[in-house]
């Protein structure tokens, strides 16, 4: 028998405040049409004053636990993917653990920016396969509105806040691609490209900083690297493009999403797209999209799903799973 990390539940949380593109027109040289045509984004959510990443992560976790029919006492592990934790330390994950009333197990953060959820999912899967945990909450949560330069129209209109979560459970499988659960993963990074997407501040430099991005350079790397990592994971799982039911990509830019799908050989009617409603929520975007698609009845048990993401670092990767 082969151990598999199987999805038991999914949930998400979005802040109440919805910010349409038109809201930026009063302070920036931009327009709804300009933002839509370049990114596909129509609106995004911003966290309320005092609303934190860990609080949003806990809300998404509660929704995922309810969907799974489980409680916090059933969880052994929490992994939170975030680049915008509440504090330098402790981790947002331990704060979620406390918020849920969970007093056993262990919790930690993963920081790989927009690729964070793929990294978190891969780590949780490895810990389950190693016997370190039976059930895990894997959460992506971000408050990117707190690191925006509101005078930079090329970045501040692209990002939003939110959280999404999956519950994974160890189950026996056959070792075949017909198993439910995570079938294959692939992680990559290349620190030579730090300067095309980063925040110009941090603890060691004693500044807070804002997000900086060379959009054209990021786009140039994104499609090629995302398609390549997706194909690597699919090859590891023995899955062909025709067998993929849904691609659930990082929701950064509709042009990147379409370009990657084309290179993967997957039609857009099999791609989950939520970027128009949420903007780029970094590590939260994949679990958010999974939860929305599931709530809309798109994703069913047995579906083969490919997720892929790229973010600052550069860091990128993919996961193939059967729902």
């Amino acid at each position: 028998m082969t151990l598999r990390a199987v999805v038991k539940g999914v949930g998400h949380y979005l802040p109440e405040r919805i910010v349409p593109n038109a809201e930026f027109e009063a302070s920036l040289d931009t327009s709804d049409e300009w933002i839509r045509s370049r990114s596909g984004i129509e609106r995004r959510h911003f966290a309320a004053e005092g609303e934190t990443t860990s609080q949003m992560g806990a809300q998404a976790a509660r929704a995922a636990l309810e969907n799974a029919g489980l409680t916090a006492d059933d969880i052994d592990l929490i992994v939170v993917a975030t680049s915008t934790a509440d504090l330098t330390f402790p981790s947002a994950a331990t704060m979620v653990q406390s918020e849920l009333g969970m007093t056993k197990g262990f919790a930690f953060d993963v920081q790989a920016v927009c690729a964070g959820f793929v990294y978190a999912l891969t780590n949780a899967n490895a810990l389950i396969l190693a016997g370190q945990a039976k059930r895990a909450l894997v959460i992506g949560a971000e408050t990117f509105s707190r690191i925006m330069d509101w005078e930079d129209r090329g970045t501040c209109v692209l990002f939003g806040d939110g959280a999404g979560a999956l519950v994974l459970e160890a189950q026996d499988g056959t070792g075949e691609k017909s198993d439910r659960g995570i079938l294959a993963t692939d992680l990559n990074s290349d620190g030579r490209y730090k300067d095309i997407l980063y925040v110009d501040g941090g603890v060691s430099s004693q500044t807070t900083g804002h997000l900086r991005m060379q959009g054209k350079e990021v786009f140039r790397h994104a499609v090629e690297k995302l398609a390549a990592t997706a194909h690597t994971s699919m090859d590891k799982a023995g899955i062909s493009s025709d067998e993929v039911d849904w691609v659930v990509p990082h929701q950064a830019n509709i042009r990147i999403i379409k370009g990657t799908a084309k290179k993967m050989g997957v039609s857009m009617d099999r791609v989950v797209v939520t970027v128009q409603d949420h903007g780029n929520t970094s590590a939260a975007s994949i679990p958010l999209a999974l939860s929305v698609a599931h709530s809309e009845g798109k994703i069913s048990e047995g579906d083969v799903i490919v997720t892929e993401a790229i973010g600052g670092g550069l860091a990128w990767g993919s996961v193939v799973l059967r729902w």
Side-chain angles (χ1 to χ4, degrees):
M1 302 294 285
T2 299
L3 202 62
R4 298 288 195 187
V6 176
V7 176
K8 285 288 291 182
V10 61
H12 70 276
Y13 171 80
L14 288 163
E16 288 186 12
R17 183 185 172 196
I18 299 173
V19 181
N21 290 341
E23 191 166 317
F24 292 101
E25 295 175 359
S27 57
L28 294 170
D29 179 18
T30 192
S31 67
D32 175 53
E33 191 280 329
W34 189 91
I35 298 168
R36 287 187 192 222
S37 65
R38 284 158 178 78
S39 67
I41 298 167
E42 300 175 16
R43 63 193 67 83
R44 75 286 292 145
H45 293 247
F46 283 167
E49 185 176 352
E51 188 171 36
T52 66
T53 293
S54 68
Q55 289 169 352
M56 294 195 303
Q59 292 278 54
R62 291 188 184 99
L65 287 168
E66 182 178 355
N67 183 246
L70 299 170
T71 69
D73 290 336
D74 298 312
I75 302 299
D76 309 300
L77 164 66
I78 298 176
V79 186
V80 173
T82 187
S83 297
T84 52
D86 306 14
L87 303 173
T88 301
F89 65 82
S91 66
T94 55
M95 298 169 83
V96 170
Q97 182 185 32
S98 175
E99 185 77 14
L100 296 177
M102 175 181 156
T103 56
K104 62 168 187 160
F106 60 109
F108 62 92
D109 288 356
V110 168
Q111 207 276 57
V113 201
C114 298
F117 189 76
V118 169
Y119 272 63
L121 205 56
T122 299
N123 275 275
N125 177 61
L127 288 164
I128 286 173
L129 299 189
Q132 292 293 307
K134 182 179 179 182
R135 295 191 185 98
L137 264 170
V138 188
I139 303 165
E142 301 281 17
T143 47
F144 260 50
S145 63
R146 307 273 160 76
I147 55 171
M148 290 295 101
D149 177 350
W150 298 111
E151 296 181 356
D152 180 3
R153 71 168 188 167
T155 59
C156 73
V157 301
L158 302 178
F159 293 87
D161 303 334
L166 293 186
V167 178
L168 296 179
E169 180 181 82
Q171 293 185 10
D172 288 330
T174 65
E176 302 297 321
K177 66 181 181 181
S178 58
D179 288 346
R180 291 183 63 208
I182 294 176
L183 302 179
T185 66
D186 179 60
L187 299 180
N188 308 269
S189 66
D190 191 335
R192 292 176 299 171
Y193 300 109
K194 173 187 75 70
D195 291 339
I196 68 174
L197 180 55
Y198 67 103
V199 169
D200 60 358
V203 177
S204 182
S205 61
Q206 297 264 302
T207 58
T208 301
H210 297 105
L211 185 145
R212 305 299 179 194
M213 180 173 68
Q214 297 176 34
K216 289 181 179 179
E217 281 298 300
V218 172
F219 185 91
R220 186 172 68 84
H221 286 278
V223 173
E224 177 185 344
K225 287 178 167 58
L226 289 172
T229 184
H231 279 298
T232 297
S233 285
M234 290 161 62
D235 288 345
K236 288 180 182 179
I239 296 290
S240 68
S241 295
D242 292 341
E243 295 174 280
V244 175
D245 294 291
W246 293 104
V247 175
V248 184
H250 169 48
Q251 306 289 318
N253 182 302
I254 190 61
R255 293 183 297 158
I256 293 174
I257 292 170
K258 288 180 176 179
T260 304
K262 184 177 180 180
K263 275 188 171 289
M264 289 176 62
V266 176
S267 63
M268 283 300 295
D269 61 359
R270 289 188 284 150
V271 179
V272 173
V273 179
T274 59
V275 68
Q276 70 280 358
D277 295 321
H278 305 153
N280 183 345
T281 55
S282 190
S285 79
I286 287 175
L288 256 172
L290 282 167
S291 182
V292 169
H294 182 264
S295 69
E296 292 175 348
K298 291 180 178 178
I299 296 175
S300 303
E301 185 173 318
D303 283 355
V304 173
I305 295 170
V306 179
T307 70
E308 29 83 355
I310 188 169
L314 289 173
W316 67 99
S318 58
V319 174
V320 176
L321 63 89
R322 188 179 295 278
W323 197 261

